[in-house]
Amino acid sequence: MANIYLPDIAVIKDIIQETSDTKTFVLRFKNPKVQKNFRFKSGQFVEVSVFGVGEVPIGISSSPTEKKNFEITVRAVGSVTNALHQKKVGDEIGIRGPLGNNFPIDEMKDKKILIIGGGIGLPPLRSLILPMLEKRGKFKKFTILYGARTPDDRVYKNLLKKWNEKRDVEFLETVDVADNGWTGNVGVVITLFEKIEIDPQDTVAYTCGPPIMIEFVIQELLSIGLPDDMIISTLERYMKCGVGKCGHCAIGHKYVCIDGPVFSFKDIKTLPEE
Ligand SMILES: Cc1cc2nc3c(=O)[nH]c(=O)nc-3n(C[C@H](O)[C@H](O)[C@H](O)COP(=O)(O)OP(=O)(O)OC[C@H]3O[C@@H](n4cnc5c(N)ncnc54)[C@H](O)[C@@H]3O)c2cc1C
Ligand code: FES
């Protein structure tokens, strides 16, 4: 049996500086067979090893339909993520995964889609939005709301521009603090709710971002009348093994690494408050 703790080697093919503290790493497994067999679903994550430093869970940010490479987008916050940011194109890192569950997509066919991302919460949602837009005709109205601290802190600036130009996507964004060039909305992401129409009977909402944002977003969606099982969120927890063995990520009876990181509010309600 394969060792579940043993990473495969991936080579950094490209690095995109998204913001002052966030980079996207384009990765490909060194062994072409491993790359060929690497199949993941939107919302899943990988354990990323920087050898000699440590291992961290990171959501996959590219589309599952992209087979040649896969991408992660990482904010440098501590020892492992800063060590990763020191890496150059051609360097090798370790990858275990894909791990965890995924966002429901096919089940939401014919629904109105509302996606709400905050800051570094957009990367896992990008792995959801990209394949959904490939099948745009399967869904009704498609709305994306994105909030960041400042205009410079927005990730995927080129992609945001494309979404903004798409006629079949309603895209709104906001920043907490504007700069001189910013002419858009200022305020937290829920201030965008008053600018859109939400049909609570026919909408599924997906959200990912800082815990405080998720809390406010869920409250707002509930007050609008979205059913508990149509509010889908990710939960973040400190993780070690990533495969349901160590218990580090437990919230009550659930392990975020295998039962999550994607949960509906119907499930979140059953968890102890933390
Ligand atoms: C399922 C999942 C998906 C994730 N996806 C992404 C992603 O796509 N991009 C990204 O940049 N980050 C993501 N993270 C967060 C990332 O794992 C942490 O930032 C990373 O573990 C920090 O490790 P470090 O060694 O660099 O920092 P450390 O030196 O361990 O810590 C630095 C600081 O970050 C805090 N911190 C560390 N880990 C976490 C955590 N899990 N939750 C909250 N605070 C933490 C610490 O309290 C400390 O303040 C994800 C986490 C999970 C659980
Ligand atoms: S991280 Fe070990 S059980 Fe979830």
Side-chain angles (χ1 to χ4, degrees), residues 45 56-59 73-75 77-82 120 123-124 235-239 261:
F45 68 97
V56 287
I58 301 290
T73 301
V74 183
R75 175 176 285 161
V77 295
S79 51
V80 179
T81 49
N82 271 303
I120 194 72
L235 293 183
E236 232 184 69
R237 268 292 174 283
Y238 287 101
M239 288 186 184

Short mmCIF file of all heavy atoms in Angstrom, two decimals, residues 45 56-59 73-75 77-82 120 123-124 235-239 261, ligand 1:
data_model
loop_
_atom_site.label_atom_id
_atom_site.label_comp_id
_atom_site.label_asym_id
_atom_site.label_seq_id
_atom_site.Cartn_x
_atom_site.Cartn_y
_atom_site.Cartn_z
N PHE A 45 -7.84 20.30 -1.40
CA PHE A 45 -6.57 20.95 -1.08
C PHE A 45 -5.44 19.95 -1.17
O PHE A 45 -5.67 18.74 -1.35
CB PHE A 45 -6.65 21.58 0.32
CG PHE A 45 -6.74 20.60 1.46
CD1 PHE A 45 -5.62 20.21 2.17
CD2 PHE A 45 -7.97 20.05 1.85
CE1 PHE A 45 -5.70 19.30 3.22
CE2 PHE A 45 -8.06 19.15 2.90
CZ PHE A 45 -6.92 18.78 3.59
N VAL A 56 2.26 22.43 4.82
CA VAL A 56 1.04 23.22 5.10
C VAL A 56 -0.08 22.84 4.12
O VAL A 56 0.20 22.51 2.96
CB VAL A 56 1.28 24.75 5.00
CG1 VAL A 56 2.07 25.25 6.17
CG2 VAL A 56 1.93 25.15 3.68
N PRO A 57 -1.35 22.92 4.59
CA PRO A 57 -2.47 22.69 3.68
C PRO A 57 -2.75 23.93 2.84
O PRO A 57 -2.79 25.04 3.38
CB PRO A 57 -3.64 22.41 4.63
CG PRO A 57 -3.29 23.13 5.89
CD PRO A 57 -1.80 23.19 5.97
N ILE A 58 -2.93 23.75 1.54
CA ILE A 58 -3.23 24.87 0.63
C ILE A 58 -4.27 24.39 -0.39
O ILE A 58 -4.12 23.33 -0.98
CB ILE A 58 -1.96 25.34 -0.14
CG1 ILE A 58 -0.84 25.80 0.81
CG2 ILE A 58 -2.30 26.42 -1.16
CD1 ILE A 58 -1.10 27.10 1.56
N GLY A 59 -5.31 25.20 -0.59
CA GLY A 59 -6.35 24.87 -1.57
C GLY A 59 -5.79 24.91 -2.99
O GLY A 59 -4.93 25.74 -3.29
N THR A 73 -2.23 29.26 -4.76
CA THR A 73 -1.98 30.69 -4.52
C THR A 73 -1.79 30.86 -3.02
O THR A 73 -2.66 30.49 -2.23
CB THR A 73 -3.18 31.51 -5.04
OG1 THR A 73 -3.31 31.25 -6.44
CG2 THR A 73 -2.97 33.00 -4.81
N VAL A 74 -0.64 31.39 -2.64
CA VAL A 74 -0.23 31.31 -1.24
C VAL A 74 0.15 32.68 -0.69
O VAL A 74 0.97 33.39 -1.28
CB VAL A 74 0.99 30.36 -1.09
CG1 VAL A 74 1.39 30.21 0.37
CG2 VAL A 74 0.68 29.00 -1.71
N ARG A 75 -0.43 33.02 0.46
CA ARG A 75 -0.02 34.25 1.16
C ARG A 75 1.08 33.87 2.16
O ARG A 75 0.94 32.89 2.90
CB ARG A 75 -1.21 34.86 1.91
CG ARG A 75 -0.80 36.06 2.75
CD ARG A 75 -1.97 36.73 3.41
NE ARG A 75 -2.73 37.51 2.45
CZ ARG A 75 -3.98 37.92 2.64
NH1 ARG A 75 -4.62 37.60 3.74
NH2 ARG A 75 -4.59 38.63 1.72
N VAL A 77 2.65 34.00 5.42
CA VAL A 77 2.25 34.43 6.76
C VAL A 77 3.18 33.90 7.85
O VAL A 77 3.20 34.40 8.96
CB VAL A 77 0.80 34.00 7.11
CG1 VAL A 77 -0.22 34.69 6.23
CG2 VAL A 77 0.64 32.48 7.07
N GLY A 78 3.95 32.83 7.55
CA GLY A 78 4.77 32.22 8.60
C GLY A 78 5.91 31.43 8.00
O GLY A 78 6.32 31.67 6.85
N SER A 79 6.41 30.45 8.75
CA SER A 79 7.67 29.80 8.37
C SER A 79 7.58 29.08 7.03
O SER A 79 8.41 29.30 6.14
CB SER A 79 8.14 28.87 9.48
OG SER A 79 7.10 28.00 9.87
N VAL A 80 6.59 28.20 6.85
CA VAL A 80 6.55 27.40 5.61
C VAL A 80 6.16 28.27 4.41
O VAL A 80 6.78 28.19 3.34
CB VAL A 80 5.57 26.21 5.75
CG1 VAL A 80 5.52 25.41 4.46
CG2 VAL A 80 5.97 25.31 6.91
N THR A 81 5.15 29.10 4.58
CA THR A 81 4.70 29.91 3.44
C THR A 81 5.78 30.93 3.03
O THR A 81 5.95 31.20 1.84
CB THR A 81 3.36 30.61 3.74
OG1 THR A 81 3.45 31.25 5.01
CG2 THR A 81 2.21 29.61 3.75
N ASN A 82 6.54 31.44 3.99
CA ASN A 82 7.64 32.35 3.63
C ASN A 82 8.75 31.60 2.92
O ASN A 82 9.33 32.11 1.95
CB ASN A 82 8.20 33.06 4.87
CG ASN A 82 7.44 34.36 5.15
OD1 ASN A 82 7.37 35.23 4.28
ND2 ASN A 82 6.84 34.47 6.32
N ILE A 120 -7.76 36.15 0.43
CA ILE A 120 -7.10 34.92 -0.03
C ILE A 120 -8.11 33.75 -0.08
O ILE A 120 -7.75 32.61 -0.37
CB ILE A 120 -5.87 34.62 0.87
CG1 ILE A 120 -4.94 33.57 0.30
CG2 ILE A 120 -6.28 34.27 2.28
CD1 ILE A 120 -4.15 34.03 -0.86
N PRO A 123 -8.82 32.08 -4.09
CA PRO A 123 -8.18 30.95 -4.80
C PRO A 123 -8.98 29.65 -4.82
O PRO A 123 -9.21 29.10 -5.91
CB PRO A 123 -6.83 30.82 -4.08
CG PRO A 123 -6.51 32.22 -3.67
CD PRO A 123 -7.83 32.83 -3.29
N PRO A 124 -9.45 29.11 -3.68
CA PRO A 124 -10.25 27.87 -3.79
C PRO A 124 -11.52 28.08 -4.61
O PRO A 124 -11.96 27.18 -5.32
CB PRO A 124 -10.60 27.54 -2.33
CG PRO A 124 -9.64 28.30 -1.50
CD PRO A 124 -9.28 29.52 -2.28
N LEU A 235 -14.33 25.73 5.72
CA LEU A 235 -13.85 26.00 7.08
C LEU A 235 -12.35 25.74 7.10
O LEU A 235 -11.86 24.81 6.46
CB LEU A 235 -14.54 25.07 8.09
CG LEU A 235 -16.05 25.27 8.31
CD1 LEU A 235 -16.54 24.31 9.39
CD2 LEU A 235 -16.38 26.70 8.69
N GLU A 236 -11.63 26.59 7.85
CA GLU A 236 -10.18 26.40 7.95
C GLU A 236 -9.81 25.99 9.36
O GLU A 236 -10.35 26.53 10.32
CB GLU A 236 -9.48 27.72 7.60
CG GLU A 236 -8.42 27.52 6.55
CD GLU A 236 -7.64 28.78 6.26
OE1 GLU A 236 -6.88 29.22 7.13
OE2 GLU A 236 -7.82 29.30 5.16
N ARG A 237 -8.95 25.03 9.47
CA ARG A 237 -8.48 24.58 10.78
C ARG A 237 -6.99 24.29 10.71
O ARG A 237 -6.48 23.97 9.64
CB ARG A 237 -9.18 23.27 11.17
CG ARG A 237 -10.45 23.48 11.98
CD ARG A 237 -10.08 24.03 13.35
NE ARG A 237 -11.22 24.39 14.17
CZ ARG A 237 -11.96 25.48 14.03
NH1 ARG A 237 -11.73 26.33 13.06
NH2 ARG A 237 -12.95 25.73 14.85
N TYR A 238 -6.29 24.37 11.82
CA TYR A 238 -4.91 23.90 11.85
C TYR A 238 -4.91 22.43 11.50
O TYR A 238 -5.71 21.68 12.04
CB TYR A 238 -4.30 24.09 13.24
CG TYR A 238 -4.01 25.53 13.55
CD1 TYR A 238 -4.86 26.27 14.35
CD2 TYR A 238 -2.88 26.14 13.02
CE1 TYR A 238 -4.60 27.60 14.62
CE2 TYR A 238 -2.61 27.46 13.29
CZ TYR A 238 -3.48 28.19 14.09
OH TYR A 238 -3.21 29.50 14.34
N MET A 239 -4.04 22.03 10.61
CA MET A 239 -3.99 20.63 10.21
C MET A 239 -2.58 20.08 10.36
O MET A 239 -1.61 20.83 10.30
CB MET A 239 -4.41 20.50 8.74
CG MET A 239 -5.88 20.73 8.52
SD MET A 239 -6.30 20.40 6.83
CE MET A 239 -8.03 20.88 6.87
N PRO A 261 -12.79 20.43 3.43
CA PRO A 261 -13.07 21.72 4.05
C PRO A 261 -14.40 22.36 3.63
O PRO A 261 -14.76 23.41 4.13
CB PRO A 261 -11.90 22.60 3.59
CG PRO A 261 -11.48 22.01 2.28
CD PRO A 261 -11.74 20.54 2.37
C1 LIG B 1 -7.95 23.48 3.88
C2 LIG B 1 -7.06 24.69 3.91
C3 LIG B 1 -6.82 25.39 2.74
C4 LIG B 1 -5.96 26.51 2.75
N1 LIG B 1 -5.75 27.16 1.57
C5 LIG B 1 -4.90 28.21 1.55
C6 LIG B 1 -4.63 28.89 0.31
O1 LIG B 1 -5.18 28.55 -0.77
N2 LIG B 1 -3.73 29.89 0.34
C7 LIG B 1 -3.11 30.31 1.51
O2 LIG B 1 -2.30 31.24 1.46
N3 LIG B 1 -3.38 29.71 2.70
C8 LIG B 1 -4.25 28.67 2.74
N4 LIG B 1 -4.49 28.03 3.94
C9 LIG B 1 -3.84 28.54 5.16
C10 LIG B 1 -2.41 27.99 5.26
O3 LIG B 1 -2.46 26.59 5.48
C11 LIG B 1 -1.65 28.66 6.43
O4 LIG B 1 -1.46 30.01 6.11
C12 LIG B 1 -0.32 27.98 6.63
O5 LIG B 1 -0.54 26.72 7.23
C13 LIG B 1 0.58 28.82 7.50
O6 LIG B 1 1.78 28.08 7.70
P1 LIG B 1 3.16 28.80 8.00
O7 LIG B 1 4.14 27.74 8.44
O8 LIG B 1 3.58 29.65 6.87
O9 LIG B 1 2.79 29.76 9.19
P2 LIG B 1 2.94 29.50 10.76
O10 LIG B 1 4.36 29.91 11.09
O11 LIG B 1 2.47 28.15 11.12
O12 LIG B 1 1.89 30.55 11.28
C14 LIG B 1 1.91 31.94 10.92
C15 LIG B 1 0.60 32.60 11.32
O13 LIG B 1 -0.51 32.01 10.60
C16 LIG B 1 -1.46 31.46 11.51
N5 LIG B 1 -1.95 30.20 10.94
C17 LIG B 1 -1.21 29.13 10.58
N6 LIG B 1 -1.99 28.15 10.06
C18 LIG B 1 -3.27 28.61 10.12
C19 LIG B 1 -4.53 28.06 9.76
N7 LIG B 1 -4.70 26.85 9.21
N8 LIG B 1 -5.63 28.82 9.99
C20 LIG B 1 -5.52 30.04 10.52
N9 LIG B 1 -4.35 30.62 10.88
C21 LIG B 1 -3.25 29.91 10.68
C22 LIG B 1 -0.70 31.26 12.81
O14 LIG B 1 -1.54 31.37 13.93
C23 LIG B 1 0.27 32.43 12.80
O15 LIG B 1 -0.34 33.61 13.22
C24 LIG B 1 -5.35 26.94 3.97
C25 LIG B 1 -5.60 26.23 5.15
C26 LIG B 1 -6.45 25.12 5.14
C27 LIG B 1 -6.71 24.38 6.40
#
